[in-house]
């Protein structure tokens, strides 16, 4: 086989590997898109029956272990704020893998998917910061007077998410330059 | 675009088909269409050489500079 043909063959093998892996990751993302809201719903539906050690990590001792249904519904809705950001990021990732499956690496659609993921990570950082005070108020709603709580916290997860969001947005700008080069190449006869 | 590709004119003069040109040059009919309709951003010297060899003409017979101001 000539060097040019063997290079073309190696290229095609790489593209095929990308397609195969992308198909698997796309399936994983589809599963996650269902799993995120369903697991959150299941958590709040069965909150009162959950073992102590599962709940203790997320909530302080003064949170009642038995919450009425309306509080759990509100808590689920509050949880969907950061979960929604996560789902938006996963849907962007899913679309990206779909494009890789089609052999599209540097299209405008790829750039938009990267941007979606970047903004979703920034959204998640803000949403999870907001989620702490909302959930602390909700979880102490049924407590006796004088035992309600408003908590605020900043964690390394939020800082990391902000950093990652910024990095992904930067990558999307670089990808956009790649798209322009690819368009130039495809219109060079 | 100021550079105009006069492939249709040369194909008619030499009585050759676009399909045969594409095959001889080693490009797809779609890429040839991109060239003919002025959508191409660049042309490789190797492609230009192959076209000129097939049509027995020079680059100036295929590529023409037309100043956009001249059209007004």
């Amino acid at each position: 086989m000539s060097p040019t043909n063997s290079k073309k063959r190696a290229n095609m093998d790489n593209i095929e590997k990308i397609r195969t892996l992308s198909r698997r990751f796309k399936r994983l993302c589809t599963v996650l898109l269902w799993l995120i809201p369903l697991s959150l719903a299941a958590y709040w539906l069965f909150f009162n029956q959950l073992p102590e050690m599962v709940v203790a990590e997320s909530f302080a001792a003064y949170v009642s272990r038995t919450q009425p249904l309306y509080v759990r519904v509100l808590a689920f809705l509050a949880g969907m704020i950061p979960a929604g950001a996560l789902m938006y990021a996963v849907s962007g990732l899913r679309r990206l893998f779909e494009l890789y499956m089609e052999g599209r690496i540097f299209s405008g659609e790829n750039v938009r998917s990267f941007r979606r993921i970047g903004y979703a990570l920034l959204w998640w950082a803000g949403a999870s910061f907001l989620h702490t005070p909302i959930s602390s108020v909700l979880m102490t709603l049924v407590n006796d007077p004088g035992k309600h709580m408003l908590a605020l916290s900043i964690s390394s997860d939020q800082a990391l998410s902000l950093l990652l969001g910024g990095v992904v947005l930067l990558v999307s700008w670089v990808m956009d330059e790649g798209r322009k080069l690819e368009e130039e190449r495809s219109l060079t006869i | 675009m100021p550079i105009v590709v006069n492939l249709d004119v040369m194909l008619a003069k030499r009585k050759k088909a676009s399909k045969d040109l594409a095959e001889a040059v080693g490009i797809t009919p779609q890429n040839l269409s991109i060239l003919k309709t002025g959508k191409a951003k660049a042309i490789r010297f190797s492609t230009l050489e192959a076209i000129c060899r097939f049509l027995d003409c020079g680059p100036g017979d295929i590529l023409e500079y037309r100043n956009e101001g001249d059209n007004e």
Side-chain angles (χ1 to χ4, degrees), chain A residues 66-119:
Chain A
T66 312
Q67 296 287 344
L69 181 64
Y70 78 94
V71 169
R72 286 183 280 140
V73 167
L74 288 172
F76 165 74
L77 291 173
M80 279 306 293
I81 300 172
L86 206 55
M87 288 170 71
Y88 191 56
V90 171
S91 76
L93 213 51
R94 187 178 177 277
R95 180 61 186 143
L96 199 60
F97 290 129
E98 207 166 49
L99 291 164
Y100 292 159
M101 270 169 58
E102 292 168 14
R104 290 162 66 183
I105 314 282
F106 289 108
S107 71
E109 193 69 38
N110 292 68
V111 173
R112 280 189 288 278
S113 297
F114 266 105
R115 283 204 188 124
R116 197 200 291 191
I117 295 165
Y119 285 125

Side-chain angles (χ1 to χ4, degrees), chain A residues 183-189, chain B residues 31 40-44 47:
Chain A
E183 270 175 17
E184 188 93 21
R185 188 203 65 78
S186 69
L187 292 174
T188 296
I189 311 299
Chain B
N31 277 353
K41 284 194 187 287
I43 184 168
R44 295 186 182 93
T47 306

Side-chain angles (χ1 to χ4, degrees), chain B residues 27-39:
Chain B
I27 61 176
T28 61
Q30 291 81 13
N31 277 353
L32 184 62
S33 173
I34 288 171
L35 206 52
K36 281 160 76 177
T37 54
K39 288 178 185 157

Side-chain angles (χ1 to χ4, degrees), chain A residues 1-14:
Chain A
M1 195 183 276
S2 70
T4 315
N5 283 344
S6 63
K7 197 177 170 188
K8 275 185 186 169
R9 176 83 199 166
N11 218 27
M12 279 172 63
D13 287 342
N14 276 343

Side-chain angles (χ1 to χ4, degrees), chain A residues 12-99:
Chain A
M12 279 172 63
D13 287 342
N14 276 343
I15 300 280
E16 207 40 55
K17 277 181 199 163
I18 290 170
R19 281 202 166 120
T20 307
L21 275 173
S22 298
R23 197 173 296 118
R24 287 179 194 160
F25 277 114
K26 185 193 161 185
R27 279 190 204 129
L28 180 64
C29 288
T30 307
V31 167
L32 280 174
L33 277 175
W34 284 100
L35 206 60
I36 291 168
L38 286 177
S39 58
L40 190 68
Y43 179 84
W44 288 112
L45 190 64
F46 301 109
F47 178 81
N48 295 344
Q49 291 83 33
L50 286 173
E52 193 64 43
M53 63 177 193
V54 172
V55 177
E57 271 183 35
S58 313
F59 297 105
Y62 42 75
V63 166
S64 170
R65 282 291 289 115
T66 312
Q67 296 287 344
L69 181 64
Y70 78 94
V71 169
R72 286 183 280 140
V73 167
L74 288 172
F76 165 74
L77 291 173
M80 279 306 293
I81 300 172
L86 206 55
M87 288 170 71
Y88 191 56
V90 171
S91 76
L93 213 51
R94 187 178 177 277
R95 180 61 186 143
L96 199 60
F97 290 129
E98 207 166 49
L99 291 164

